[in-house]
């Protein structure tokens, strides 16, 4: 596997090899699938839409329904106004969503299609919404596309009535439906009255109910809640790269103050989420949550000897990698390589600040944004690690170098059941601590000589 | 108009109705042959299953060429989605042969490249690739923005060839070209014909040699076919393109016969090789026990050698003996069930044959990106009028190269055809179907759901985009692009795998758990009503 990858590192390549990111539109599509009865729409050639639906379906093991403007050469020359106008008519006629959330592609962006003005002139059925976000594939990554689409929703739907609704808005960032449930559960335990956006609980992990429906009732953030975000008293948003720009937008347009915190992976980051909720609710943290935290820390202490100073390579999207770096540090592990494909140089500084909290010297790790898995593999060929944490695309490196892989983030294409469970919160940390410890212990068992093979560990 | 078709079309607005009516045919087998419209634009917003030109060129045809570096020239997305996602299996054929299939190469264009052009970045990237991997062949596949900003990938390829003395092919396979993946197949075929086929001089050593065209080795299908062919004594010169290589494709013109599996994606090369090198092509189908045996017998007839015919029959008998127990068992589980199938190139036709081996009928069938000849047979080709979208795809013409002869005269070919050897022809899917069955071109999500409702098939074969929606509705769905990560399904042993997988999905115990017990039990007495 990957035996053609040489050990000698080639710095500053022009060619990306084995990417650690994908393009903006898929992020926009994913975001839009977190709104109730919303049809994401890809304004470009239909291949984009097919690719995005496919990768989302493969990750969530669920239908990812979205439509396309189906550009041909003619539309690429003369513009896509007629395509989008037809598409909007057909989608409302046939599939009957409440909202159509249009995002652009590198094709429609390169030709300079002005979707914003097209939709102003369009006939939209009574009570339905058409909105749009610009998501050029040649900028940022899928994370930026997600963030842009959140702003798209707010731009077209959010209002301020002037009467505060007593709610806290929660932006979870790019997480799984299992995480949405966990973050909402914590908010409820904290007694918060909240609006949660986007919410994939029930849209991308819909229960098996024998019904093939395009849209489900009570799944996804409701239109009236997206509208009401302007009246929220506070916003707690998670992840700098998924949620900071949308948070700034909500603040700028509707004067909603926000706290942007990391995606709550591990103990301290979950503590931070709870403290932010507490600032809003002014209520005591319930025993239930404190007990969960206690069980997590207990598990970490009980099992620490199997993970202590184990070297980890963590790769994927900037926000989730940050969270997992924090979890690894809490577990006493040594994050050795910390990689994202998303082109945001500042992220390296944030990781460094986190490592500084634990007194880890810069010489002891490599952190790099805007890079690829080929680079990560080359690093590992020079100095290996004990565990890989990241998407399914690391499995090639895992096999080539015989390193256990614990799957997290996006996309996980080759395992079942992951997205319906939590990664965040104490519950998520319990799950991932178990996964990481199991991986290390399985390895120890596998490699043990018969005389060293322990039944009790 | 037939009942199910009428019910389906009635649900559309007049605008959509007008378009879709010609793409949906309920088979009548009346006086006039059943017709269908195909290879025309998808309706915006309809939720077509189709992909794009790039997907057809890079994803389908050139991506599997294992010893070549395939570069996606464009922003990152397309390279990401087409990386390791198609199950076109490959392994080195000899020690030291490079296998680039697990890799993804992309110029990862940024805003500045879009503004100032990406040729320089592409060339610098190729320099790096030469330094890192020194491949013998490079394919450059363009994505949407390339044609719009005017990067000349052909010129880059030419410069690379001159600089490094390798083969480099620039493909203008931007996603918006044509109406589906089909345009990408055609573009890919043209490049292979121009720059690869005929470049080698290594003649086959075996008495009878073959190329397998349009076989992408999904789940190892190509390997199962090669196993059988080699057992009979054929030499397989090259496979287009599953587990294929530049090194073997360039010698393919020296083979005796081309076998065509996926007609849609590769018929251009089959036709052009016939014209240029006199290599006949035979439409085969190695999906299904009966279909595989039939294909092998046609091949033996083509070569008309008693020794080969005898060996063919021996191998068929041996293989059937090996699998007959399993086939009978799965047939006992599957007989009488019905299926729907919506896939790409030729699979919707091929798999009907395999399903019939198990006593199953396919009542709904359709293609994503087929042309009329895939449905109605190649005899329809003269009647197909090229529209603006088709005209944008280059047709290349080739001429006979001196020194290459036809194996058979026109008269002999006619005799062979009369004996049932389907040479240089494909008679399409429809003729193998029955009255009342539904054929849908460029099917969409709404039609899929409506037809499942109307025909109530026991199982629906489609792709990942449809699978989970269909299963939520309580109907078993298996992926026919990726085989749900199983396979091979081709050949004799593949048929057993398929029977096992279909049986497994239909009979898995969890289907009986969908309804919670409290939904079927009567409520406890006394819990209903208020005071009384």
């Amino acid at each position: 596997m990957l035996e053609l990858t040489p050990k000698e590192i080639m710095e500053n390549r022009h060619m990306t090899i084995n990417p650690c990111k994908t393009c903006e539109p898929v992020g926009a599509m994913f975001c839009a699938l977190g709104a109730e009865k919303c049809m994401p729409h890809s304004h470009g050639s239909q291949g984009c839409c097919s690719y995005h639906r496919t990768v989302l379906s493969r990750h969530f093991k669920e239908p990812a329904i979205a439509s396309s403007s189906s550009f041909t050469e003619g539309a690429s020359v003369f513009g896509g106004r007629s395509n989008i106008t037809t598409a909007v008519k057909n989608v409302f006629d046939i599939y009957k969503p409440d909202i159509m959330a249009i995002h652009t592609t590198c094709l429609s962006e390169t030709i300079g299609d002005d979707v914003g003005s097209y939709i102003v002139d369009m006939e939209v059925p009574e009570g339905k919404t058409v909105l749009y976000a610009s998501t050029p594939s040649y900028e940022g990554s899928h994370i930026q596309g997600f963030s842009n689409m959140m702003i798209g929703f707010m731009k077209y739907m959010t209002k301020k009535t002037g009467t505060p609704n007593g709610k806290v808005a929660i932006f979870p960032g790019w997480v799984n439906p299992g995480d949405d449930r966990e973050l909402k559960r914590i908010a409820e335990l904290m007694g918060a009255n909240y609006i949660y956006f986007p919410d994939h609980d029930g849209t991308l992990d819909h229960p098996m109910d024998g019904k093939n429906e395009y849209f489900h009732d009570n799944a996804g953030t409701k239109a009236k809640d997206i509208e009401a975000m302007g009246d929220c008293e506070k916003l707690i948003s998670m992840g700098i790269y998924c949620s900071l720009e949308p948070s700034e937008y909500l603040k700028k347009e509707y004067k909603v103050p926000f706290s942007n915190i990391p995606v709550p992976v591990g103990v301290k980051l979950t503590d931070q989420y709870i403290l932010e909720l507490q600032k809003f609710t002014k209520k005591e943290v319930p025993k239930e949550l404190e007990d969960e935290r206690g069980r997590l820390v207990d598990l970490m202490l009980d099992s620490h000897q199997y993970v202590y100073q184990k070297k980890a390579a963590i790769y994927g999207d900037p926000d989730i990698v940050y969270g997992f770096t924090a979890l690894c540090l809490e577990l006493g592990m040594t994050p050795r390589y910390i990689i994202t494909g998303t082109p945001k140089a500042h992220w390296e500084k944030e990781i460094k600040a986190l490592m500084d909290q634990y007194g880890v010297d810069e010489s002891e790790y490599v952190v790099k944004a805007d890079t690829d898995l080929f680079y990560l593999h080359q690093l590992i060929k020079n100095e290996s690690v004990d565990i890989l944490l990241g998407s399914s695309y690391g499995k090639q490196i895992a096999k080539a170098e015989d390193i256990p892989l614990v799957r997290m983030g996006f996309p996980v294409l080759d395992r079942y059941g992951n997205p319906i469970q939590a990664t965040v919160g104490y519950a998520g940390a319990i799950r991932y601590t178990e996964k990481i410890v199991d991986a290390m212990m399985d390895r120890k068992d596998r490699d043990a000589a018969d005389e060293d093979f322990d039944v009790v560990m | 108009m037939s009942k199910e078709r009428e019910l389906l079309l009635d649900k559309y607005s007049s605008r959509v109705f007008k378009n879709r009516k010609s793409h949906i045919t309920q088979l009548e087998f009346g006086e006039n042959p059943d017709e269908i419209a195909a290879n025309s634009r998808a309706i915006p917003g309809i939720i077509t299953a189709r992909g794009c030109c790039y997907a057809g060129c890079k994803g389908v045809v050139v991506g599997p060429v294992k010893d070549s570096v395939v570069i996606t020239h464009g922003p990152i997305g397309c390279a990401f989605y087409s990386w390791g996602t198609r199950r076109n299996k490959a392994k080195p054929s000899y020690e030291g042969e490079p296998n680039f299939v697990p890799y993804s190469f992309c110029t990862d264009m940024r805003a500045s490249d879009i503004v100032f052009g990406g040729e320089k970045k592409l060339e610098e990237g190729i320099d790096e690739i030469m330094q890192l991997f020194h491949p013998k062949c490079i394919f450059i596949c363009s994505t949407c923005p390339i044609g719009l900003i005017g990067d000349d990938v052909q010129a880059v390829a030419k410069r690379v060839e001159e600089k490094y003395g390798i083969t480099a092919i620039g493909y203008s396979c931007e996603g918006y070209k044509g109406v589906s993946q089909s345009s990408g197949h055609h573009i890919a075929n043209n490049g292979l014909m121009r720059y690869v086929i005929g470049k080698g001089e290594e003649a086959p050593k075996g008495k009878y040699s073959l190329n397998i065209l349009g076989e992408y080795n999904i789940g190892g299908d190509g390997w199962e076919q090669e196993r059988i062919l080699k057992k009979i004594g054929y030499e397989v010169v090259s496979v287009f393109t599953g587990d294929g290589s530049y090194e073997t494709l360039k010698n393919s013109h020296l083979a005796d016969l081309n076998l065509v599996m996926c007609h849609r994606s590769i018929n251009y090369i089959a036709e052009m090789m016939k014209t240029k090198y006199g290599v006949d092509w035979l439409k085969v189908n190695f999906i299904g026990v009966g279909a595989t045996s039939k294909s092998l017998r046609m091949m033996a007839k083509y070569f008309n050698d008693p020794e080969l015919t005898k060996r063919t029959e021996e191998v068929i008998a041996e293989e059937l003996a090996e699998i007959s127990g399993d086939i009978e068992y799965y047939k006992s589980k599957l007989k009488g069930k019905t299926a729907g199938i919506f896939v790409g190139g030729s699979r919707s036709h091929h798999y009907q044959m395999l399903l019939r081996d198990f006593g199953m009928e396919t009542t709904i069938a359709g293609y994503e990106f087929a042309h009329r000849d895939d449905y109605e047979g190649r005899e329809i080709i003269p009647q197909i009028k090229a529209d603006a979208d088709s005209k944008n795809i280059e047709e290349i013409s080739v001429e006979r190269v001196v020194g290459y002869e036809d194996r058979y005269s026109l008269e002999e070919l006619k005799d062979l055809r009369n004996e049932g050897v389907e040479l240089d022809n494909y008679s399409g899917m429809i003729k193998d179907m029955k009255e009342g069955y539904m054929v849908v071109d460029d099917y969409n999500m709404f039609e899929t759901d409506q037809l499942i409702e109307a025909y109530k098939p026991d199982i629906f074969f489609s792709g990942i985009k449809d699978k989970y929606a269909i299963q939520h509705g309580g109907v078993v769905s298996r992926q026919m692009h990726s085989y749900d990560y199983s396979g091979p399904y081709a050949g004799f042993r593949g048929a057993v795998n398929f029977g096992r997988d279909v049986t497994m999905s239909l009979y898995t115990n969890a289907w009986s758990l969908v309804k919670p017990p409290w939904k079927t039990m009567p409520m406890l007495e006394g819990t209903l009503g208020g005071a009384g």
Side-chain angles (χ1 to χ4, degrees):
Chain A
M1 182 55 63
L2 300 182
E3 45 289 280
L4 304 174
T5 303
K7 188 178 165 186
E8 292 72 27
I9 294 172
M10 183 186 270
E11 299 282 356
N12 304 318
R13 264 180 289 117
H14 297 83
M15 187 68 67
T16 293
I17 310 175
N18 300 349
C20 189
K21 65 167 179 185
T22 180
C23 63
E24 285 203 17
V26 75
M29 184 181 286
F30 172 61
C31 176
L33 287 166
E36 193 180 51
K37 298 198 169 97
C38 175
M39 178 73 85
H41 181 87
S42 167
H43 188 55
S45 90
Q46 65 214 1
C48 312
C49 187
S50 275
Y51 274 145
H52 304 150
R53 292 181 60 204
T54 296
V55 70
L56 292 172
S57 271
R58 284 174 172 157
H59 174 85
F60 294 103
K61 315 295 181 195
E62 281 291 310
I65 298 174
S67 52
S68 166
S69 290
S70 293
F71 270 53
T72 56
E73 198 145 357
S76 308
V77 175
F78 301 112
R81 181 196 282 268
S82 134
N83 293 55
I84 190 67
T85 309
T86 310
V88 167
K89 271 195 194 119
N90 287 334
V91 166
F92 284 121
D93 268 6
I94 300 167
Y95 296 99
K96 305 179 172 56
D98 290 345
I99 305 170
M100 260 184 92
I102 303 166
H103 61 262
T104 54
T105 58
C106 47
L107 169 52
S108 50
E109 287 286 342
T110 303
I111 65 170
D113 240 7
D114 187 1
V115 181
S117 79
Y118 295 168
I119 63 177
V120 169
D121 302 337
M122 222 173 256
E123 258 180 68
V124 176
E126 182 72 28
K128 308 278 183 177
T129 304
V130 176
L131 59 90
Y132 139 86
S134 163
T135 53
S137 320
Y138 44 75
E139 283 175 359
S141 71
H142 54 300
I143 296 301
Q144 186 69 47
F146 176 92
S147 175
N148 291 3
M149 184 47 90
M150 285 192 68
I151 296 173
F153 271 95
M154 289 189 274
K155 224 178 204 168
Y156 284 85
M157 295 178 70
T158 303
K159 297 182 180 102
K160 195 175 186 78
T161 62
T163 316
N165 56 21
K167 290 181 181 178
V168 58
I170 299 173
F171 293 173
W174 188 311
V175 293
N176 284 322
D179 295 318
D180 293 325
R181 270 192 294 282
E182 180 61 13
L183 293 170
K184 289 190 290 184
R185 187 183 69 96
I186 293 172
E188 272 153 33
L189 283 169
M190 289 301 296
N193 197 355
Y194 61 84
I195 291 174
Y196 187 95
F197 175 70
D199 187 357
H200 297 88
D201 171 13
T203 70
L204 283 174
D205 66 342
H206 197 70
M208 177 64 202
D209 54 7
K211 287 186 224 157
N212 177 4
E213 300 168 318
Y214 302 124
F215 307 102
H216 310 290
D217 290 328
N218 302 313
T221 309
K222 289 179 184 307
K224 67 172 175 54
D225 285 340
I226 299 173
E227 284 166 17
M229 288 194 310
D231 290 329
C232 282
E233 287 180 18
K234 182 190 163 80
L235 162 67
I236 302 172
S237 68
M238 286 163 252
I240 291 177
Y241 298 94
C242 288
S243 303
L244 184 58
E245 286 176 21
S247 308
E248 284 166 345
Y249 181 85
L250 194 67
K251 186 178 177 195
K252 189 172 134 258
E253 295 296 319
Y254 306 104
K255 310 284 176 288
V256 180
F258 70 89
S259 297
N260 182 256
I261 58 170
V263 174
V265 179
V267 183
K268 284 189 185 173
L269 300 183
T270 305
D271 291 348
Q272 210 177 332
Y273 174 52
I274 287 168
L275 290 169
E276 285 299 332
L277 286 164
Q278 193 181 37
K279 276 186 213 162
F280 174 71
T281 62
K282 313 276 190 299
K283 287 180 186 161
E284 281 209 22
V285 178
K287 185 165 182 304
E288 194 177 335
L289 276 175
E290 205 170 295
D291 284 353
E292 271 178 42
R293 187 184 190 281
R295 281 193 291 272
L296 166 60
V297 177
D298 197 43
L299 170 65
M300 288 173 143
L301 286 168
D302 292 348
S303 60
H304 73 276
Q305 60 198 348
Y306 298 101
V307 293
Y308 186 69
Q309 289 194 346
K310 292 287 183 194
K311 287 188 281 183
I314 312 165
Y315 60 92
D317 302 334
D319 293 329
I320 199 78
V321 168
Y322 182 93
F324 268 86
T325 305
L327 174 65
C328 284
L329 288 165
E330 287 174 344
L331 286 166
M333 298 170 73
T334 307
R336 183 73 184 86
Y337 308 123
I338 309 147
I339 300 292
T340 185
T342 294
K344 296 282 182 185
H346 195 264
W347 177 79
E348 295 173 4
K349 293 197 175 65
E350 288 143 25
I351 295 289
K352 185 179 174 298
L354 177 62
M355 299 296 271
D356 286 350
Q357 285 175 29
Y358 287 82
V360 188
D361 189 75
E362 261 182 278
S363 62
E364 291 174 56
Y365 61 92
V366 176
V367 56
K368 199 162 166 48
D370 197 6
T371 188
D372 54 27
L373 294 182
F374 185 77
Y375 174 67
L376 176 63
H377 190 190
Q378 291 198 314
L379 289 174
I380 287 171
K381 275 184 169 290
N382 283 276
E383 186 194 323
S384 194
V385 291
D386 300 299
I387 192 167
L388 288 161
L389 288 157
S391 78
S392 295
Y393 280 101
K395 78 187 286 184
Q396 298 175 328
I397 300 173
K399 186 170 164 67
E401 306 303 330
D402 190 25
I403 303 166
L405 163 65
V406 169
R407 287 161 180 78
M408 63 85 175
F410 179 86
V412 175
L413 306 169
D414 62 335
R415 289 295 184 272
Y416 291 76
N418 188 52
I420 63 173
Q421 298 180 72
T423 299
V424 300
Y426 303 128
I430 287 174
R431 192 163 81 91
Y432 268 94
T433 299
E434 184 185 14
K435 274 178 184 261
I436 292 167
V437 172
D438 274 359
M440 291 292 87
M441 293 181 79
D442 284 346
R443 186 52 57 130
K444 197 175 164 72
D445 280 345
R446 191 195 77 173
D447 296 341
D450 284 2
E451 62 273 24
D452 299 324
F453 189 69
D454 287 314
V455 170
V456 183
M457 289 170 85
Chain B
M1 194 155 60
S2 312
K3 189 177 133 239
E4 285 83 2
R5 178 171 178 267
E6 199 171 345
L7 281 173
L8 169 60
L9 285 167
D10 267 357
K11 298 200 164 81
Y12 279 133
S13 67
S14 59
R15 196 179 57 245
V16 175
F17 174 92
K18 219 175 122 203
N19 176 298
R20 290 303 298 159
K21 69 178 172 35
S22 51
H23 294 267
I24 301 171
T25 296
Q26 194 161 8
L27 299 178
E28 290 175 348
F29 296 99
E31 242 168 69
N32 298 317
D34 293 295
E35 287 188 354
I36 193 160
N39 192 35
S40 59
R41 288 179 192 181
I43 303 173
I46 198 95
I47 314 203
T48 169
R50 282 177 172 180
C52 64
C53 183
Y54 164 86
C57 182
K58 193 275 182 181
V60 175
V61 181
V62 304
V65 181
K66 63 187 171 187
D67 61 349
S68 303
V69 166
V70 184
I71 298 166
T72 299
H73 185 38
I76 196 68
C78 306
F80 179 82
Y81 305 114
S82 60
W83 176 27
T85 49
R86 185 155 167 264
R87 302 197 75 235
N88 46 278
K89 295 191 177 202
K91 60 183 174 196
S93 301
Y94 55 87
E95 210 184 301
E97 185 180 36
N99 175 17
F100 292 102
V101 170
Y103 291 84
S104 168
F105 302 93
C106 184
T107 48
D108 190 2
M109 288 171 77
R110 311 294 168 88
S112 61
D113 304 316
I114 299 292
V115 176
F116 301 110
E119 282 183 36
K120 190 158 172 275
K121 190 175 191 185
L122 173 61
E123 281 189 74
E124 282 166 334
I126 291 174
D127 288 340
E128 291 159 3
I129 281 175
M130 290 312 296
Q131 199 186 323
L132 285 164
F133 307 107
H134 29 81
K136 291 182 190 134
C137 177
I138 290 177
F139 297 103
I140 304 159
C141 294
S142 309
T143 70
C144 287
I146 303 309
L148 303 169
I149 64 170
D151 272 8
D152 187 344
V153 293
Q154 285 80 15
V156 171
K158 203 157 176 236
R159 290 201 286 274
V160 167
E161 287 198 330
E162 281 161 12
K163 187 168 177 185
Y164 293 106
I166 62 164
T167 298
I169 305 172
Y171 279 119
S172 296
C173 53
E174 289 85 355
Y176 56 78
K177 294 239 168 101
V179 298
S180 70
Q181 293 96 312
S182 176
S183 53
H185 305 146
H186 196 161
I187 289 170
N189 276 226
N190 289 349
L192 291 175
M193 196 66 210
R194 261 195 190 124
Y195 303 111
V196 178
I197 299 164
K199 221 171 191 172
E201 288 160 2
E202 199 180 316
K205 293 167 195 72
K207 195 169 175 191
Y208 300 114
S209 60
L210 312 161
N211 301 307
I212 313 178
L213 271 52
E215 171 49 58
Y216 302 102
N217 202 31
I218 309 301
D221 273 356
W223 290 333
E224 168 66 1
Q225 290 164 38
E226 280 188 65
R227 181 188 71 79
I228 299 165
L229 295 170
K230 284 178 183 162
K231 192 173 172 186
I232 294 174
Y234 290 109
E235 177 178 347
V236 178
V237 175
S238 72
V239 181
F240 285 72
T241 51
D243 197 32
S245 61
Y246 168 74
E247 282 296 327
T248 54
L249 297 181
K250 66 183 184 165
N251 297 320
S252 58
H253 61 301
L254 300 170
D256 294 316
L257 177 66
N258 279 331
L259 307 179
V260 171
M261 273 294 280
C262 173
H263 175 256
R264 183 71 267 131
S265 63
I266 212 83
N267 75 93
Y268 317 96
I269 283 178
E271 282 282 286
M272 288 188 279
M273 277 175 84
K274 167 71 181 164
T275 309
K276 193 169 175 184
Y277 302 108
V279 185
D280 284 312
W281 64 271
L282 181 64
K283 176 70 187 79
V284 291
N285 176 16
F286 292 118
I287 302 295
V289 179
T292 302
S293 306
K294 183 186 162 196
S295 297
L296 295 173
R297 286 179 177 130
M298 282 198 295
M299 291 162 61
K301 259 190 193 159
Y302 175 80
F303 288 111
N304 192 26
D305 172 346
E307 202 45 44
L308 182 70
T309 306
K310 187 166 157 271
R311 184 63 193 144
T312 300
E313 290 305 327
E314 280 169 10
V315 168
I316 292 173
E318 268 175 43
E319 294 285 329
L320 289 179
E322 196 186 300
I323 63 164
S324 62
D326 287 334
I327 297 286
E328 281 313 309
Y329 171 74
Y330 293 122
K331 192 171 178 179
S332 75
K333 306 295 268 183
L334 301 175
K335 196 166 190 272
K337 300 205 181 292
T338 60
I341 184 164
F342 280 161
V343 212
S346 291
R347 285 178 201 271
S348 297
H349 183 192
H350 291 168
Y351 277 84
Q352 294 191 36
M353 306 296 109
L354 177 52
L355 287 161
R356 230 165 247 174
D357 288 337
F358 293 106
M360 290 177 70
E361 278 297 312
T362 308
T363 53
I364 315 160
Y367 288 127
E368 269 179 43
F369 47 74
H371 297 200
R372 281 186 68 184
D373 38 318
D374 300 295
Y375 296 100
E376 299 172 58
R378 285 184 75 92
E379 61 270 25
I380 204 74
I381 290 176
Q383 293 179 44
I384 301 175
K385 289 189 196 81
D387 60 11
D389 298 309
S390 315
K391 281 181 191 152
N392 286 335
I393 310 304
E394 188 190 11
E395 291 270 357
I396 60 175
S397 56
V398 293
E399 282 170 18
R400 177 60 56 87
V401 177
V402 180
Y404 290 87
E405 306 290 335
D406 289 315
R407 176 178 282 266
Y408 293 117
S409 68
L410 287 174
E411 201 56 34
E412 287 167 321
L413 285 176
K414 207 174 147 198
D415 291 344
L416 277 167
R417 283 194 199 106
N418 287 338
E419 286 174 50
V421 186
E422 290 159 21
L423 276 168
D424 309 331
N425 190 31
Y426 174 47
S427 50
M429 174 175 80
I430 285 177
K431 294 186 189 80
D432 275 322
M433 295 182 71
K434 293 180 182 167
E435 194 184 332
Y437 291 4
M438 192 74 84
V439 179
V440 182
D441 173 69
D442 182 21
Y443 62 90
N444 58 57
M445 187 153 184
F446 175 76
E447 287 165 11
T448 307
D449 298 335
Q450 295 294 316
L451 288 171
I452 287 174
E453 194 64 33
Y455 280 83
K456 302 206 169 13
D458 296 290
I459 186 165
F460 204 92
F461 298 98
S462 188
I464 187 77
K465 301 193 295 290
D466 302 323
K467 179 188 170 91
Y468 297 112
I470 294 168
Q471 293 217 149
H472 268 298
V475 176
V476 178
S477 181
R478 287 194 60 89
Q479 297 179 59
M480 261 308 108
H481 302 266
S482 70
Y483 301 169
D484 279 299
Y485 326 109
S486 180
Y489 286 164
F492 298 105
R493 291 181 187 170
V496 175
N497 292 339
F498 181 77
R500 177 201 64 209
D501 288 353
V502 174
T503 305
M504 173 175 83
S505 291
L506 281 165
Y507 288 93
T508 189
N509 290 334
W511 283 114
S512 65
L513 307 174
V514 174
K515 206 161 235 173
W518 50 88
K519 291 274 187 194
T520 48
M521 280 192 315
M523 292 250 259
L524 288 177
E525 254 180 81
T527 56
L528 284 172

